[in-house]
Amino acid sequence: MFVVGYAVANGPLIWALLVFRNSLVFHSLDKVTSLYIHLLPTLLSFVIRWYPEETSEHWYKPFPRYEVGYSFFWLVLIPFVFVLAHQVLYIVLVNCILRPNDEYLTMYRYLTAKESSFIFRMCNIFGPRFRIQLYVAWGLSLVLIMLLFNPVWYNFFIPHCVVVSVSIIIAIYNGATYYLDVFSIERMSRHRNGNHESASSGANIAYNNTQEKVLYGALVNSDLKDGVQDANKSSN
């Protein structure tokens, strides 16, 4: 069972980090949760695979070493059947039973949202009628390709270290670019809007003060004129 979980964690899950462009953005619960889901199983399977004695110190029993060699059955075939069953269950549940409205963002809608994207073009080869079928077919084909690398990750320590390290670096890089390209622009936009509102409110205050001064001056002049007229009447 561990081998199957290892294959899924180091196959579709870790590659999904690239597909969904997971980012290490600390202030975003959504992005951190997505990264946690796709990266943590890989890290956990890594330490159990290569450091079972040290890892099992925090467990109630020792972790055995599962030596399956280059078993295509356990590292590719059974995990692919597991992913296939998950895909069928997902399609039946989402597309046939729940049928969410257009506002709900499913995985299919997310990946095919942009008509200029490569995924949309690949799914639209035969037109809109077969778009979902091609999406499922391409997805399962990619999953199978991802699983074919598992015998390498499972039997060689350094390649597995490389793929885990590269995945972490990509997540950090995506987070850094988010802070530079998206978060900073949002902050600048808010700052500009705030300055604009402050300037507008300041101009309104100055304008109101000017109007008050003009009105006050007019009232003073009117009072002076009335006083002069009353004085003239009294003298007459």
Side-chain angles (χ1 to χ4, degrees), residues 2 5-17 22-24 31-49 55 160 163-165 167-168 171:
F2 167 75
Y6 175 96
V8 174
N10 293 272
L13 274 181
I14 195 63
W15 285 92
L17 187 147
N22 290 153
S23 308
L24 184 60
K31 294 184 180 298
V32 171
T33 302
S34 182
L35 179 63
Y36 179 87
I37 292 173
H38 292 135
L39 185 59
L40 184 66
T42 303
L43 297 177
L44 183 61
S45 63
F46 176 86
V47 295
I48 294 177
R49 171 69 181 97
T55 308
H160 197 192
V163 70
V164 172
S165 301
S167 301
I168 296 174

Short mmCIF file of all heavy atoms in Angstrom, two decimals, residues 2 5-17 22-24 31-49 55 160 163-165 167-168 171:
data_model
loop_
_atom_site.label_atom_id
_atom_site.label_comp_id
_atom_site.label_asym_id
_atom_site.label_seq_id
_atom_site.Cartn_x
_atom_site.Cartn_y
_atom_site.Cartn_z
N PHE A 2 1.98 1.20 0.73
CA PHE A 2 2.88 2.36 0.74
C PHE A 2 3.43 2.64 -0.65
O PHE A 2 3.55 3.80 -1.05
CB PHE A 2 4.03 2.13 1.72
CG PHE A 2 5.14 3.12 1.57
CD1 PHE A 2 5.00 4.42 2.03
CD2 PHE A 2 6.33 2.77 0.93
CE1 PHE A 2 6.02 5.36 1.87
CE2 PHE A 2 7.35 3.69 0.76
CZ PHE A 2 7.19 4.99 1.24
N GLY A 5 0.85 4.48 -2.67
CA GLY A 5 0.79 5.87 -2.23
C GLY A 5 2.01 6.66 -2.65
O GLY A 5 1.91 7.84 -3.02
N TYR A 6 3.17 6.01 -2.58
CA TYR A 6 4.40 6.65 -3.03
C TYR A 6 4.32 7.01 -4.51
O TYR A 6 4.71 8.12 -4.92
CB TYR A 6 5.58 5.71 -2.79
CG TYR A 6 6.90 6.21 -3.30
CD1 TYR A 6 7.78 6.87 -2.46
CD2 TYR A 6 7.28 6.01 -4.63
CE1 TYR A 6 9.00 7.33 -2.93
CE2 TYR A 6 8.49 6.47 -5.10
CZ TYR A 6 9.35 7.12 -4.25
OH TYR A 6 10.55 7.59 -4.73
N ALA A 7 3.81 6.10 -5.31
CA ALA A 7 3.73 6.33 -6.75
C ALA A 7 2.78 7.48 -7.08
O ALA A 7 3.08 8.31 -7.95
CB ALA A 7 3.27 5.05 -7.45
N VAL A 8 1.66 7.55 -6.39
CA VAL A 8 0.71 8.64 -6.64
C VAL A 8 1.28 9.97 -6.16
O VAL A 8 1.16 11.00 -6.84
CB VAL A 8 -0.64 8.34 -5.95
CG1 VAL A 8 -1.58 9.53 -6.08
CG2 VAL A 8 -1.28 7.09 -6.55
N ALA A 9 1.94 9.95 -5.00
CA ALA A 9 2.49 11.19 -4.45
C ALA A 9 3.61 11.75 -5.30
O ALA A 9 3.74 12.97 -5.47
CB ALA A 9 2.99 10.95 -3.02
N ASN A 10 4.43 10.87 -5.86
CA ASN A 10 5.56 11.31 -6.68
C ASN A 10 5.26 11.28 -8.17
O ASN A 10 6.16 11.51 -8.99
CB ASN A 10 6.78 10.44 -6.39
CG ASN A 10 7.30 10.63 -4.99
OD1 ASN A 10 8.12 11.49 -4.72
ND2 ASN A 10 6.82 9.80 -4.07
N GLY A 11 4.01 11.01 -8.49
CA GLY A 11 3.58 11.05 -9.88
C GLY A 11 2.63 12.20 -10.14
O GLY A 11 3.06 13.35 -10.27
N PRO A 12 1.32 11.95 -10.19
CA PRO A 12 0.36 13.02 -10.51
C PRO A 12 0.37 14.18 -9.52
O PRO A 12 0.23 15.33 -9.92
CB PRO A 12 -0.99 12.29 -10.48
CG PRO A 12 -0.66 10.85 -10.67
CD PRO A 12 0.67 10.64 -10.06
N LEU A 13 0.54 13.90 -8.23
CA LEU A 13 0.46 14.97 -7.24
C LEU A 13 1.59 15.98 -7.39
O LEU A 13 1.36 17.20 -7.40
CB LEU A 13 0.45 14.39 -5.82
CG LEU A 13 -0.90 13.95 -5.26
CD1 LEU A 13 -0.74 13.44 -3.84
CD2 LEU A 13 -1.89 15.10 -5.29
N ILE A 14 2.81 15.50 -7.49
CA ILE A 14 3.93 16.43 -7.56
C ILE A 14 3.97 17.15 -8.91
O ILE A 14 4.38 18.32 -9.00
CB ILE A 14 5.26 15.70 -7.28
CG1 ILE A 14 6.37 16.70 -6.98
CG2 ILE A 14 5.64 14.80 -8.44
CD1 ILE A 14 6.14 17.52 -5.75
N TRP A 15 3.52 16.48 -9.97
CA TRP A 15 3.47 17.15 -11.27
C TRP A 15 2.34 18.17 -11.32
O TRP A 15 2.41 19.14 -12.09
CB TRP A 15 3.30 16.12 -12.38
CG TRP A 15 4.54 15.34 -12.69
CD1 TRP A 15 4.92 14.15 -12.15
CD2 TRP A 15 5.58 15.72 -13.59
NE1 TRP A 15 6.13 13.75 -12.65
CE2 TRP A 15 6.56 14.69 -13.55
CE3 TRP A 15 5.79 16.80 -14.44
CZ2 TRP A 15 7.72 14.73 -14.32
CZ3 TRP A 15 6.94 16.84 -15.21
CH2 TRP A 15 7.89 15.81 -15.14
N ALA A 16 1.31 17.96 -10.51
CA ALA A 16 0.23 18.95 -10.45
C ALA A 16 0.72 20.28 -9.91
O ALA A 16 0.12 21.33 -10.18
CB ALA A 16 -0.91 18.42 -9.58
N LEU A 17 1.80 20.24 -9.15
CA LEU A 17 2.40 21.48 -8.66
C LEU A 17 2.82 22.38 -9.81
O LEU A 17 2.70 23.61 -9.74
CB LEU A 17 3.60 21.16 -7.76
CG LEU A 17 4.28 22.29 -7.01
CD1 LEU A 17 4.81 21.77 -5.68
CD2 LEU A 17 5.43 22.89 -7.80
N ASN A 22 1.49 26.03 -8.38
CA ASN A 22 1.40 26.25 -6.94
C ASN A 22 2.50 27.19 -6.47
O ASN A 22 3.64 27.12 -6.94
CB ASN A 22 1.52 24.92 -6.19
CG ASN A 22 0.30 24.04 -6.38
OD1 ASN A 22 0.38 22.83 -6.30
ND2 ASN A 22 -0.85 24.63 -6.66
N SER A 23 2.14 28.07 -5.54
CA SER A 23 3.06 29.12 -5.10
C SER A 23 3.13 29.14 -3.58
O SER A 23 2.12 28.92 -2.90
CB SER A 23 2.60 30.49 -5.61
OG SER A 23 2.37 30.45 -7.01
N LEU A 24 4.31 29.44 -3.08
CA LEU A 24 4.49 29.62 -1.64
C LEU A 24 4.22 31.08 -1.31
O LEU A 24 5.12 31.91 -1.26
CB LEU A 24 5.90 29.21 -1.23
CG LEU A 24 6.20 29.25 0.28
CD1 LEU A 24 5.28 28.32 1.04
CD2 LEU A 24 7.66 28.87 0.54
N LYS A 31 -3.55 29.48 -1.59
CA LYS A 31 -2.33 29.04 -2.25
C LYS A 31 -1.51 28.12 -1.35
O LYS A 31 -0.93 27.13 -1.81
CB LYS A 31 -1.49 30.26 -2.67
CG LYS A 31 -2.15 31.10 -3.76
CD LYS A 31 -1.25 32.23 -4.20
CE LYS A 31 -1.91 33.07 -5.27
NZ LYS A 31 -2.19 32.27 -6.49
N VAL A 32 -1.45 28.43 -0.07
CA VAL A 32 -0.71 27.57 0.86
C VAL A 32 -1.38 26.20 0.98
O VAL A 32 -0.70 25.17 1.03
CB VAL A 32 -0.59 28.25 2.24
CG1 VAL A 32 -0.01 27.30 3.27
CG2 VAL A 32 0.28 29.49 2.14
N THR A 33 -2.70 26.17 1.00
CA THR A 33 -3.42 24.90 1.09
C THR A 33 -3.19 24.05 -0.15
O THR A 33 -2.96 22.83 -0.05
CB THR A 33 -4.93 25.17 1.27
OG1 THR A 33 -5.13 25.96 2.44
CG2 THR A 33 -5.69 23.87 1.41
N SER A 34 -3.26 24.66 -1.32
CA SER A 34 -3.02 23.92 -2.56
C SER A 34 -1.60 23.36 -2.61
O SER A 34 -1.38 22.21 -3.01
CB SER A 34 -3.28 24.83 -3.76
OG SER A 34 -3.10 24.14 -4.97
N LEU A 35 -0.63 24.17 -2.20
CA LEU A 35 0.75 23.70 -2.16
C LEU A 35 0.92 22.58 -1.15
O LEU A 35 1.63 21.59 -1.40
CB LEU A 35 1.68 24.87 -1.84
CG LEU A 35 3.17 24.54 -1.74
CD1 LEU A 35 3.71 24.03 -3.07
CD2 LEU A 35 3.96 25.76 -1.28
N TYR A 36 0.28 22.70 -0.02
CA TYR A 36 0.34 21.68 1.03
C TYR A 36 -0.20 20.35 0.52
O TYR A 36 0.39 19.29 0.76
CB TYR A 36 -0.46 22.17 2.23
CG TYR A 36 -0.51 21.22 3.40
CD1 TYR A 36 0.49 21.24 4.38
CD2 TYR A 36 -1.56 20.32 3.54
CE1 TYR A 36 0.44 20.37 5.45
CE2 TYR A 36 -1.61 19.45 4.62
CZ TYR A 36 -0.62 19.48 5.57
OH TYR A 36 -0.67 18.61 6.64
N ILE A 37 -1.31 20.38 -0.19
CA ILE A 37 -1.93 19.15 -0.69
C ILE A 37 -1.03 18.44 -1.69
O ILE A 37 -0.91 17.21 -1.68
CB ILE A 37 -3.29 19.48 -1.33
CG1 ILE A 37 -4.28 19.92 -0.25
CG2 ILE A 37 -3.85 18.28 -2.09
CD1 ILE A 37 -5.60 20.43 -0.79
N HIS A 38 -0.36 19.19 -2.55
CA HIS A 38 0.43 18.58 -3.62
C HIS A 38 1.87 18.26 -3.22
O HIS A 38 2.48 17.36 -3.81
CB HIS A 38 0.45 19.51 -4.84
CG HIS A 38 -0.87 19.66 -5.50
ND1 HIS A 38 -1.39 20.87 -5.89
CD2 HIS A 38 -1.82 18.74 -5.83
CE1 HIS A 38 -2.58 20.70 -6.44
NE2 HIS A 38 -2.86 19.41 -6.41
N LEU A 39 2.40 18.96 -2.23
CA LEU A 39 3.81 18.78 -1.89
C LEU A 39 4.04 17.89 -0.67
O LEU A 39 4.99 17.11 -0.65
CB LEU A 39 4.47 20.14 -1.66
CG LEU A 39 5.98 20.15 -1.41
CD1 LEU A 39 6.73 19.51 -2.58
CD2 LEU A 39 6.48 21.56 -1.16
N LEU A 40 3.18 17.99 0.32
CA LEU A 40 3.42 17.25 1.56
C LEU A 40 3.46 15.73 1.36
O LEU A 40 4.34 15.07 1.94
CB LEU A 40 2.36 17.61 2.61
CG LEU A 40 2.58 16.96 3.97
CD1 LEU A 40 3.85 17.50 4.63
CD2 LEU A 40 1.38 17.19 4.89
N PRO A 41 2.56 15.11 0.58
CA PRO A 41 2.67 13.65 0.38
C PRO A 41 4.01 13.25 -0.23
O PRO A 41 4.55 12.18 0.11
CB PRO A 41 1.51 13.34 -0.58
CG PRO A 41 0.52 14.42 -0.32
CD PRO A 41 1.33 15.65 -0.05
N THR A 42 4.56 14.08 -1.11
CA THR A 42 5.86 13.77 -1.70
C THR A 42 6.96 13.82 -0.64
O THR A 42 7.83 12.94 -0.59
CB THR A 42 6.17 14.76 -2.83
OG1 THR A 42 5.12 14.71 -3.79
CG2 THR A 42 7.48 14.42 -3.50
N LEU A 43 6.94 14.83 0.20
CA LEU A 43 7.95 14.95 1.26
C LEU A 43 7.83 13.79 2.25
O LEU A 43 8.85 13.23 2.69
CB LEU A 43 7.79 16.29 1.98
CG LEU A 43 8.01 17.54 1.14
CD1 LEU A 43 7.74 18.79 1.97
CD2 LEU A 43 9.42 17.58 0.58
N LEU A 44 6.60 13.45 2.60
CA LEU A 44 6.40 12.36 3.55
C LEU A 44 6.86 11.02 2.97
O LEU A 44 7.54 10.24 3.65
CB LEU A 44 4.92 12.28 3.93
CG LEU A 44 4.54 11.22 4.97
CD1 LEU A 44 5.27 11.48 6.29
CD2 LEU A 44 3.03 11.20 5.20
N SER A 45 6.52 10.76 1.72
CA SER A 45 6.96 9.51 1.10
C SER A 45 8.48 9.48 0.92
O SER A 45 9.10 8.40 0.99
CB SER A 45 6.27 9.32 -0.26
OG SER A 45 6.64 10.36 -1.16
N PHE A 46 9.08 10.64 0.74
CA PHE A 46 10.54 10.70 0.59
C PHE A 46 11.24 10.26 1.88
O PHE A 46 12.15 9.42 1.85
CB PHE A 46 10.95 12.13 0.22
CG PHE A 46 12.44 12.33 0.15
CD1 PHE A 46 13.13 12.05 -1.02
CD2 PHE A 46 13.14 12.80 1.24
CE1 PHE A 46 14.51 12.23 -1.09
CE2 PHE A 46 14.51 12.99 1.18
CZ PHE A 46 15.20 12.71 0.02
N VAL A 47 10.82 10.82 3.01
CA VAL A 47 11.50 10.48 4.27
C VAL A 47 11.21 9.04 4.69
O VAL A 47 12.07 8.37 5.27
CB VAL A 47 11.11 11.47 5.38
CG1 VAL A 47 11.60 12.87 5.05
CG2 VAL A 47 9.61 11.48 5.63
N ILE A 48 10.00 8.55 4.40
CA ILE A 48 9.70 7.16 4.75
C ILE A 48 10.48 6.20 3.86
O ILE A 48 10.95 5.14 4.32
CB ILE A 48 8.18 6.89 4.64
CG1 ILE A 48 7.43 7.70 5.70
CG2 ILE A 48 7.87 5.41 4.80
CD1 ILE A 48 5.92 7.56 5.62
N ARG A 49 10.64 6.56 2.60
CA ARG A 49 11.36 5.67 1.67
C ARG A 49 12.84 5.60 2.00
O ARG A 49 13.43 4.51 2.02
CB ARG A 49 11.16 6.18 0.23
CG ARG A 49 12.03 5.47 -0.81
CD ARG A 49 11.58 4.03 -1.00
NE ARG A 49 12.42 3.33 -1.95
CZ ARG A 49 13.44 2.54 -1.64
NH1 ARG A 49 13.76 2.34 -0.36
NH2 ARG A 49 14.14 1.92 -2.58
N THR A 55 12.43 8.16 10.67
CA THR A 55 11.05 8.66 10.61
C THR A 55 10.13 7.90 11.54
O THR A 55 9.22 8.48 12.16
CB THR A 55 10.52 8.56 9.17
OG1 THR A 55 11.45 9.18 8.28
CG2 THR A 55 9.17 9.24 9.04
N HIS A 160 15.63 11.23 -6.89
CA HIS A 160 14.47 11.59 -6.08
C HIS A 160 14.71 12.90 -5.33
O HIS A 160 13.81 13.74 -5.21
CB HIS A 160 14.15 10.46 -5.09
CG HIS A 160 12.77 10.56 -4.53
ND1 HIS A 160 12.35 9.81 -3.46
CD2 HIS A 160 11.70 11.33 -4.88
CE1 HIS A 160 11.09 10.11 -3.18
NE2 HIS A 160 10.68 11.03 -4.03
N VAL A 163 14.20 15.78 -7.88
CA VAL A 163 12.81 16.11 -8.24
C VAL A 163 12.10 16.81 -7.07
O VAL A 163 11.32 17.75 -7.28
CB VAL A 163 12.05 14.85 -8.69
CG1 VAL A 163 11.79 13.90 -7.54
CG2 VAL A 163 10.73 15.23 -9.34
N VAL A 164 12.39 16.39 -5.85
CA VAL A 164 11.78 17.05 -4.69
C VAL A 164 12.32 18.47 -4.53
O VAL A 164 11.56 19.42 -4.30
CB VAL A 164 12.01 16.22 -3.41
CG1 VAL A 164 11.55 16.98 -2.18
CG2 VAL A 164 11.29 14.88 -3.50
N SER A 165 13.63 18.62 -4.68
CA SER A 165 14.25 19.94 -4.53
C SER A 165 13.76 20.90 -5.62
O SER A 165 13.46 22.07 -5.34
CB SER A 165 15.77 19.82 -4.58
OG SER A 165 16.24 18.97 -3.56
N SER A 167 10.96 20.79 -7.21
CA SER A 167 9.55 21.13 -6.94
C SER A 167 9.46 22.23 -5.89
O SER A 167 8.66 23.17 -6.03
CB SER A 167 8.79 19.88 -6.48
OG SER A 167 8.84 18.87 -7.45
N ILE A 168 10.26 22.12 -4.84
CA ILE A 168 10.25 23.15 -3.79
C ILE A 168 10.74 24.48 -4.34
O ILE A 168 10.17 25.55 -4.06
CB ILE A 168 11.10 22.69 -2.60
CG1 ILE A 168 10.49 21.45 -1.95
CG2 ILE A 168 11.24 23.81 -1.57
CD1 ILE A 168 11.34 20.84 -0.87
N ALA A 171 8.06 26.11 -6.43
CA ALA A 171 7.01 26.71 -5.59
C ALA A 171 7.48 28.03 -4.99
O ALA A 171 6.72 29.01 -4.93
CB ALA A 171 6.60 25.73 -4.49
#
